[in-house]
Amino acid sequence: MQKASVLLFLAWVCFVFYAGIALFTSGFLLTRLELTNYSSCQEPPGPGSLPWGSQGKPGACWMASRFSRVVLVLIDALRFDFAQPQHSHVPGEPPVSLPFLGKLSSLHRILETQPHHARLYRSQVDPPTTTMQRLKALTTGSLPTFIDAGSNFASHAIVEDNLIKQLTSAGRRVVFMGDDTWKDLFPGAFSKAFFFPSFNVRDLDTVDNGILEHLHPTMDSGEWDVLIAHFLGVDHCGHKHGPHHPEMAKKLSQMDQVIQGLVERLENDTLLVVAGDHGMTTNGDHGGDSELEVSAALFLYSPTALFPSTPPEEPEVIPQVSLVPTLALLLGLPIPFGNIGEVMAELFSGGEDSQPHSSALAQASALHLNAQQVSRFLHTYSAATRDLQAKELHQLQNLFSKASADYQWLLQSPNGAEATLPTVIAELQQFLRGARAMCIESWARFSLSFLLLHLLAAGIPITTPGPFIVPWRAVSAWALMATQTFYSTGHQPVFPAIHWHAAFVGFPEGHGSCTWLPALLVGANTFASHLLFAVGCPLLLLWPFLCESQGLRKRQQPPGNEAEARVRPEEEEEPLMEMRLRDAPHHFYAALLQLGLKYLFILGIQILACALAASILRRHLMVWKVFAPKFIFEAVGFIVSSVGLLLGIALVMRVDGAVSSWFRQLFLAQQR
């Protein structure tokens, strides 16, 4: 058997496994088609007259704008309980005092003194809770794919319709300052921008201080319509110290001063939005779907009255994507084409002096526009791909048709509106929530192709005659040692447990704008055990000879017969250790092939088990927290291990070739 044949056959087996992993990944993890359609004022989302006769006029579009300016303060990793008062506690239990509680005191002071001007919400975030995916959701109103968590190292421009695109198309001046992730997501979209590097999580102040240097001067200049400030200090403090560290209290107090300063500068036509893109765990990490990670704070305030009623005792829970259609209509913009969020209807009910009937009618109008947009998106998406369940889609379209007909009747028959309005609002909300639930469910479908390819790979014969056979138990133990080393070095197959600090080994001051180097360092730290054991796997062929050589030495020198052993003829000694491999080089290459196939088979069984667990439990609540991340880690580990195995076998063959050449030279020298 030739060297090239062994490597090519092993590479082909690896390719079979890779194809299976790719098919399973595309069929199981959250995937969807990104449409490039855009909403416009000239094309309403559906038939029927627009609210209040706003026939696409400037500043009115689908709905008359309520605000001409917005200040969006995005505090990265602002968990909901960070916005709670100092002595927040569960009834019946003693008060809890934590370093991060009560530091955003300006929010509660505003809620108490101006209850009709402000509202605090618990923003429910969709996993994965990584910054790039959250920014996509906060601007498009759609659901990012699960596997996009890996793109957090290298963001790409958003091709879907989004709020930033709508703002620039409408001629609004958008000024940004903060996390440089926005530069890659929205290249050239800002009239003025101040970007700061975001990856160095050990730096708590550079980004925040840079924003503060430009924030107030920019506001006072008036040369903006939308001002976005993305602070990173809270998130970096969580990664470096955790949420319970005194530094977290310091950063939150700084953010409180920022909010207070902005409130003092707001004009009546401006809306202030303070939001967290995600939360964080008790260790300060994020990326999964635990309650602390998916629970973020959302605070709205305006100098003019926003709400007809006072805030409820417990803040309302809203999906994070609901902010997108809400801001679009409040600013007089079209809702982004692919949005599946539901407008926060309460914001369209008028101030504290508004009449109940007119408030309900305004809410119904906003919800109907939102429902038209979502219905149009579902129709376009279902025509482009068959991802959505046909039966559920048909039921939703029937529900929308009925709700839309009831809304049109309500506009034509104002006398019976009071009794019909609550029903229409409930029907529209039911449609919007059902559409979002269907999209979440339909964009996680499962394919069995992976299992078939694994069965094909498992059926490859791996029994080869010859004297150099490594037993199954040895190969299995070697593979299990790689897994054990992964866990014993402090790793876990979940995203929050990744050792992100490894990105700064040797680079304490950061990497500048480079992203591939920190990603490589983190990957090397995470999968070092897979790589080392795979490269060292061919050494299992040499271990029996080492054991044999030790046994030969003992047999050659039996107790009490040292003198006899010294006079034993030299030609009776057997070749020692790996030099015996030269007795049958063709069997040696066959043994390498057999060993490689055994190792790939065991690794394939591990990833097959992960795929089976993920497929069987794909509707389990823990699937995105446990089973999907475990599969991703095993898949990447398999790829790293297979590449390492090929490198190890190629290296052993290279050494064997050098030894063969040396043997030939030695033999020729002896003949001379």
Side-chain angles (χ1 to χ4, degrees), residues 474-488 529 533 606:
V475 184
S476 301
W478 193 258
L480 291 176
M481 283 177 63
T483 303
Q484 175 63 26
T485 304
F486 174 82
Y487 288 101
S488 62
S529 60
F533 277 87
Q606 292 180 355

Side-chain angles (χ1 to χ4, degrees), residues 259-279:
I259 296 170
Q260 190 171 357
L262 290 174
V263 168
E264 295 172 356
R265 287 175 167 80
L266 288 182
E267 298 180 358
N268 290 336
D269 64 344
T270 306
L271 174 68
L272 173 64
V273 180
V274 180
D277 57 342
H278 52 75

Side-chain angles (χ1 to χ4, degrees), residues 120 138 152 432 608:
L120 177 65
L138 283 168
N152 214 41
L432 290 169
L608 177 60

Side-chain angles (χ1 to χ4, degrees), residues 383-425:
T385 180
R386 299 187 179 275
D387 286 356
L388 302 178
Q389 300 292 333
K391 182 179 180 181
E392 295 183 21
L393 183 63
H394 180 70
Q395 293 175 349
L396 283 173
Q397 293 294 7
N398 289 339
L399 177 61
F400 169 72
S401 298
K402 182 179 183 305
S404 183
D406 291 343
Y407 173 76
Q408 296 297 335
W409 179 87
L410 182 147
L411 295 179
Q412 298 171 4
S413 305
N415 295 332
E418 291 188 11
T420 310
L421 260 175
T423 303
V424 173
I425 291 176

Side-chain angles (χ1 to χ4, degrees), residues 557-619:
Q557 297 181 359
N561 295 326
E562 290 81 357
E564 183 180 351
R566 283 195 295 269
V567 300
R568 184 172 298 173
E570 184 176 351
E571 56 270 20
E572 293 183 6
E573 296 184 4
E574 298 183 18
L576 299 178
M577 298 180 66
E578 64 273 15
M579 295 303 180
R580 290 188 58 194
L581 299 174
R582 303 311 315 151
D583 293 343
H586 58 289
H587 286 161
F588 173 56
Y589 293 146
L592 277 177
L593 175 61
Q594 182 188 37
L595 176 60
L597 289 173
K598 285 182 177 180
Y599 196 70
L600 289 176
F601 179 81
I602 293 172
L603 295 179
I605 290 296
Q606 292 180 355
I607 193 173
L608 177 60
C610 291
L612 286 172
S615 61
I616 294 172
L617 301 168
R618 60 188 181 275
R619 298 303 181 208

Side-chain angles (χ1 to χ4, degrees), residues 340-388:
I340 58 170
E342 173 190 344
V343 293
M344 301 157 64
E346 192 178 15
L347 282 163
F348 298 88
S349 56
E352 55 183 320
D353 298 330
S354 60
Q355 298 298 320
H357 174 70
S358 60
S359 296
L361 184 60
Q363 292 182 29
S365 298
L367 286 168
H368 184 251
L369 279 173
N370 189 188
Q372 285 182 311
Q373 170 264 317
V374 172
S375 175
R376 181 185 63 179
F377 166 70
L378 294 179
H379 176 76
T380 306
Y381 189 91
S382 61
T385 180
R386 299 187 179 275
D387 286 356
L388 302 178

Side-chain angles (χ1 to χ4, degrees), residues 638-651:
F638 177 87
I639 295 173
V640 172
S641 297
S642 60
V643 173
L645 179 66
L646 292 175
L647 290 176
I649 291 178
L651 179 61

Side-chain angles (χ1 to χ4, degrees), residues 2-41:
Q2 300 297 320
K3 299 178 184 179
S5 301
V6 172
L7 291 176
L8 287 176
F9 187 75
L10 287 175
W12 179 81
V13 174
C14 292
F15 172 77
V16 172
F17 280 104
Y18 295 162
I21 292 172
L23 285 175
F24 183 83
T25 300
S26 63
F28 175 73
L29 298 179
L30 285 173
T31 56
R32 64 179 176 86
L33 177 66
E34 292 187 345
L35 301 178
T36 56
N37 305 61
Y38 287 89
S39 300
S40 67
C41 293

